Amino acid sequence: MIQMNLQAKDRKLIMGRGVQIQQMKKVMDSLNDCMASDVLDIRDPEELEVYGNEKQPGVQITSYVFEVCDSLLNIGPCGNISIGEPAFLSEEFNNNPDLDLELVTTAGYGKNGALCVLQRTIRPQIVTTFTLPGCSNMWTVKIRRDGTMVLQTGHEINEIDNTGFATHCPTVYAGNLGNNKYIVQVTTVAIRLLHGAKQLQHVPMDIGSPIVHVSSADPYISLMTTDGQVITLMLREARGVAKLVVSKSTLANNPPVSTICMYKDTSGLFTNKIPEEFTQIPPHKWKMKMICYMEKQILKCHLSIFPPPKPKVYYNWWKKYLTPNKPTYWLFVVRDNSNLEIYSIPDFKLSFYVTNLCFGYKVLVDSLESVTLNQSISTSDSHIQHNYQVKELLMIGLGNNGSRPLLLVRLDNDLYIYEVFRFPRGNLKLRFKKLKLNIIYSPNMTGRIDTENSDFFAIQERIVKLRYFDNISGYNGVFICGSNPHWLFLTSRGELRTHAMVIDGEVLSFAAFNNINCPQGFLYFNKKSELREVSCQHT
C-alpha cells in the first residue's frame, strides 16, 4: 500500500482536472447522441452518397480489390554514389568549358532497389541549329534588323515570300485569334488580320506614337505606345466575316502606362461574389476546425428536435467542380509610378488597385478604399520607383482549366511571383500572395542591335522575357529568358517547380514549336544568334 500526502492546492488541481475531464466526457456523449443513427436523418449529400437513402439503399460490399492509385518518388535510402558526365548530350554542347555533370546513386531496398540519375539543370536535345544574325524576337514571324522575315515550318525551316505579312517594318507582335483561326500581326504603326496568307483587314494606328508592346487574350488584344497610351481591340465575326473593332472605352494616360497584360480567367477566382461553399477557416488552425465541427453536430441535434422542411438532395454533387467556369477578361496595367491597376473587360471598370508594386510586398492588397488615385508622390518616392520600375507583367492560369492563377512581375534585376487566393473582403474577393521560389533572375547581357531606327530601339527595350507555353511535352508553364534562363512548371500534383537551363548560356527569346520532326518541342535564340530547334523526347 502506498501512502500519498498531498497538499491542499495539489488536491484542488487534481479535482479540477477531474471536473474538466468529466465535463468533456459529457460534451462528447451529447455529441454522440446528436449523431444521426438513422439514414433518414442524414442531410449531408456526401454522406447520403455513401450510405444511400430510402429510395436508393447502400450497396453491401462482399469483396475488395486494391489497386495502386498513386505513388511518391523517393530516392532514399541511398547507398553508393558516383559522379560523371551525361550519357546523352547534344554535339553543340561538347565544347562547353563548364562540364555539366550528373550524380548516380543506388536507392531503395530489395526488389524496390534502383539506380537514380540526378541532374541540376535541363539539357535540351538539339535537333537543328540555324544562324540568323540580327533577330531579336521570335513568334511565327521573326524580326531581322528593321524588317520582318517569315519562316515556314515543315520538314525544314525555309524563308517564304508573298505571305500577306508586312515585312518592310519591325513586327511588335504576332499571334492567333478566333481559336487559332486567324492571325494578327502588329507593327509599330498598324495591325493586320489574316486568314492564312490572305489579308482580311488592315488597321492603321495613327495615334502620334509608335506601338512598342502588345498583349492578347482571345478575342481581345491590347496595344501600348511609347508615350503610355493603351488601345484595346476585339475580334468580331458576323456572317462569316471577321474584323477587329477598336473599343470605345479607353484608359487615362496620366501617369503614363509602362506595361500591360491581358488575362483570360477560367478559375472563377476573379469575382465580386463569394461562392456558397467558401469557408473562412485557416487550414493550419485545427482548433477552429474542431469548434466548427462541434457547432455542426450541435446544429444537427437541434434540427433533429425541430426538423425543418426537407431540402432538395442533389446527387452527384461533385460534378459541379468539373464544370468549367465562365471565362472573364481582365487588363493588368502598371503605370510609371509603379502602381498596379486591374480593369474588367470590356467595360474597363477599375476593380483592383495596388500601390508601389515594385517593392515586392508579401501580400498584394486592394487599396481602392483607402488611396486616392490622383494623389501625387514625393520626389524621393519617385526616385525609388524609377530605380525599381516594373519592366514586364504576366498573368497566367496554370493547372486544370487554369485553376491556379499566377502573377509574374519582372524588374530590371529581380522577379516576383504571386499566387491568387480567395479573400472575403474588397471589390474583387481575392488577394495575391508572394511565393518563395529559387529563381535568381538576371537580365540579358548581350549588347543591343545597332540601328538608327529609334522605333526599333524602343521595341528592343520592350522585348518580352516571360514566355508562356501551353504544350511542351505535355506541360504548360513559363520560360524565363535572360542570362540565367529558367523553366517554371506546375506538376500534376499541383506543385510549382523551377528548373534552370544554363547549359547554352544566355537565351534571348523563346517560343513553343511543333512539327513532324520536333513534336511538342520549342525554339530559342542564344547569344550567338543561333536558332535552336529542340526536341523534348530526351529533355
Side-chain angles (χ1 to χ4, degrees):
M1 182 176 180
I2 300 176
Q3 185 177 0
M4 300 180 63
N5 296 322
L6 301 176
Q7 297 180 0
K9 61 180 181 179
D10 296 330
R11 290 196 297 270
K12 291 180 181 179
L13 179 61
I14 294 175
M15 292 175 62
R17 289 180 178 176
V19 171
Q20 291 178 358
I21 295 173
Q22 186 175 4
Q23 290 178 350
M24 184 178 294
K25 183 178 179 181
K26 290 181 179 180
V27 172
M28 296 304 297
D29 290 341
S30 63
L31 288 178
N32 291 331
D33 294 339
C34 294
M35 297 292 184
S37 59
D38 191 353
V39 176
L40 297 177
D41 296 331
I42 300 177
R43 291 183 172 85
D44 192 339
E46 300 180 21
E47 297 180 10
L48 281 173
E49 189 170 2
V50 175
Y51 301 109
N53 60 7
E54 58 183 357
K55 297 181 179 179
Q56 184 178 355
V59 180
Q60 184 178 2
I61 301 176
T62 58
S63 61
Y64 300 88
V65 177
F66 296 96
E67 297 180 355
V68 177
C69 297
D70 199 358
S71 61
L72 299 178
L73 297 179
N74 181 20
I75 63 171
C78 294
N80 294 326
I81 191 170
S82 180
I83 190 171
E85 296 184 8
F88 303 100
L89 193 65
S90 294
E91 297 179 357
E92 287 83 351
F93 307 136
N94 289 335
N95 297 325
N96 281 6
D98 298 327
L99 295 178
D100 191 56
L101 301 177
E102 291 180 337
L103 292 178
V104 181
T105 177
T106 58
Y109 178 79
K111 67 177 183 178
N112 295 320
L115 288 177
C116 296
V117 180
L118 309 178
Q119 62 186 51
R120 288 194 313 161
T121 65
I122 290 181
R123 296 189 301 268
Q125 190 71 22
I126 305 299
V127 177
T128 55
T129 298
F130 301 91
T131 301
L132 296 174
C135 291
S136 61
N137 211 339
M138 177 171 50
W139 312 274
T140 304
V141 178
K142 311 295 189 299
I143 297 176
R144 186 179 184 181
R145 291 292 179 175
D146 294 338
T148 297
M149 178 172 58
V150 181
L151 304 179
Q152 182 182 22
T153 61
H155 292 277
E156 297 179 352
I157 299 180
N158 301 311
E159 184 176 1
I160 58 175
D161 299 322
N162 301 322
T163 61
F165 288 91
T167 57
H168 60 280
C169 57
T171 298
V172 180
Y173 174 83
N176 295 100
L177 291 177
N179 294 324
N180 299 327
K181 186 178 180 181
Y182 306 102
I183 300 174
V184 60
Q185 180 196 13
V186 182
T187 65
T188 56
V189 294
I191 304 175
R192 290 173 182 254
L193 182 66
L194 301 96
H195 184 262
K198 180 182 178 181
Q199 177 179 306
L200 301 180
Q201 187 181 13
H202 178 262
V203 184
M205 303 300 295
D206 187 12
I207 50 182
S209 183
I211 301 169
V212 292
H213 184 60
V214 179
S215 180
S216 69
D218 195 9
Y220 296 98
I221 181 169
S222 286
L223 321 175
M224 191 189 78
T225 63
T226 54
D227 60 356
Q229 300 181 57
V230 177
I231 300 174
T232 301
L233 299 91
M234 177 183 178
L235 176 69
R236 289 184 179 176
E237 293 184 82
R239 299 177 181 179
V241 178
K243 64 177 181 178
L244 292 171
V245 180
V246 179
S247 175
K248 296 181 180 179
S249 301
T250 57
L251 301 180
N253 195 28
N254 186 22
V257 176
S258 60
T259 187
I260 60 174
C261 178
M262 184 71 73
Y263 171 61
K264 177 182 178 180
D265 178 64
T266 55
S267 67
L269 292 174
F270 283 72
T271 179
N272 55 7
K273 296 181 180 179
I274 293 291
E276 297 179 357
E277 63 268 17
F278 175 73
T279 56
Q280 189 180 353
I281 302 177
H284 61 281
K285 295 185 178 180
W286 60 269
K287 292 183 180 180
M288 290 295 296
K289 287 185 177 181
M290 180 58 70
I291 292 174
C292 292
Y293 173 77
M294 294 173 65
E295 291 178 351
K296 182 178 179 181
Q297 300 303 326
I298 293 173
L299 180 60
K300 285 185 177 181
C301 181
H302 176 75
L303 292 177
S304 64
I305 299 174
F306 304 100
K310 290 186 177 181
K312 294 182 179 180
V313 178
Y314 298 94
Y315 295 98
N316 297 327
W317 53 269
W318 46 268
K319 287 187 176 181
K320 67 179 181 180
Y321 296 103
L322 301 180
T323 304
N325 294 301
K326 183 180 179 180
T328 56
Y329 297 86
W330 308 86
L331 179 62
F332 286 65
V333 173
V334 177
R335 299 186 182 271
D336 281 349
N337 58 6
S338 192
N339 293 343
L340 169 66
E341 302 171 2
I342 303 178
Y343 294 88
S344 59
I345 300 297
D347 56 355
F348 284 86
K349 178 183 178 181
L350 181 59
S351 304
F352 203 90
Y353 182 75
V354 178
T355 59
N356 299 323
L357 178 64
C358 60
F359 291 161
Y361 299 116
K362 291 184 178 180
V363 177
L364 301 183
V365 180
D366 190 3
S367 303
L368 279 177
E369 299 180 359
S370 59
V371 176
T372 304
L373 298 183
N374 295 326
Q375 66 181 4
S376 61
I377 58 176
S378 63
T379 305
S380 59
D381 290 339
S382 177
H383 175 71
I384 293 175
Q385 291 168 342
H386 178 73
N387 292 338
Y388 294 91
Q389 190 177 23
V390 176
K391 295 296 184 181
E392 186 179 350
L393 205 66
L394 178 63
M395 187 71 204
I396 57 170
L398 299 183
N400 184 33
N401 292 327
S403 58
R404 191 167 182 182
L406 297 179
L407 174 64
L408 285 77
V409 182
R410 181 178 69 85
L411 281 66
D412 273 327
N413 295 282
D414 210 344
L415 180 69
Y416 308 143
I417 301 180
Y418 291 90
E419 180 180 14
V420 176
F421 67 94
R422 201 180 294 280
F423 194 77
R425 294 197 297 270
N427 183 31
L428 280 182
K429 307 301 181 183
L430 57 83
R431 284 184 176 180
F432 297 81
K433 177 183 67 175
K434 190 176 183 181
L435 301 179
K436 294 182 179 180
L437 296 175
N438 56 340
I439 296 180
I440 301 177
Y441 175 75
S442 299
N444 290 113
M445 306 304 294
T446 303
R448 302 185 183 93
I449 298 175
D450 296 330
T451 178
E452 297 179 356
N453 191 329
S454 60
D455 295 348
F456 188 77
F457 177 79
I459 295 174
Q460 296 295 304
E461 296 294 311
R462 300 287 182 176
I463 290 179
V464 174
K465 303 300 180 185
L466 306 177
R467 304 286 183 127
Y468 170 75
F469 58 88
D470 59 357
N471 186 10
I472 294 182
S473 191
Y475 289 94
N476 67 336
V478 179
F479 186 87
I480 303 170
C481 302
S483 60
N484 188 28
H486 274 76
W487 294 82
L488 176 66
F489 294 105
L490 184 67
T491 67
S492 58
R493 294 186 177 91
E495 299 168 329
L496 278 176
R497 298 296 190 195
T498 59
H499 301 280
M501 196 186 77
V502 297
I503 190 171
D504 203 10
E506 186 175 350
V507 174
L508 302 180
S509 58
F510 171 95
F513 182 66
N514 183 26
N515 74 347
I516 190 172
N517 295 325
C518 185
Q520 298 181 2
F522 59 94
L523 303 171
Y524 71 91
F525 268 105
N526 61 13
K527 62 181 179 182
K528 300 178 183 179
S529 296
E530 293 174 337
L531 174 63
R532 307 280 203 193
E533 180 183 349
V534 182
S535 171
C536 292
Q537 295 178 354
H538 302 289
T539 297

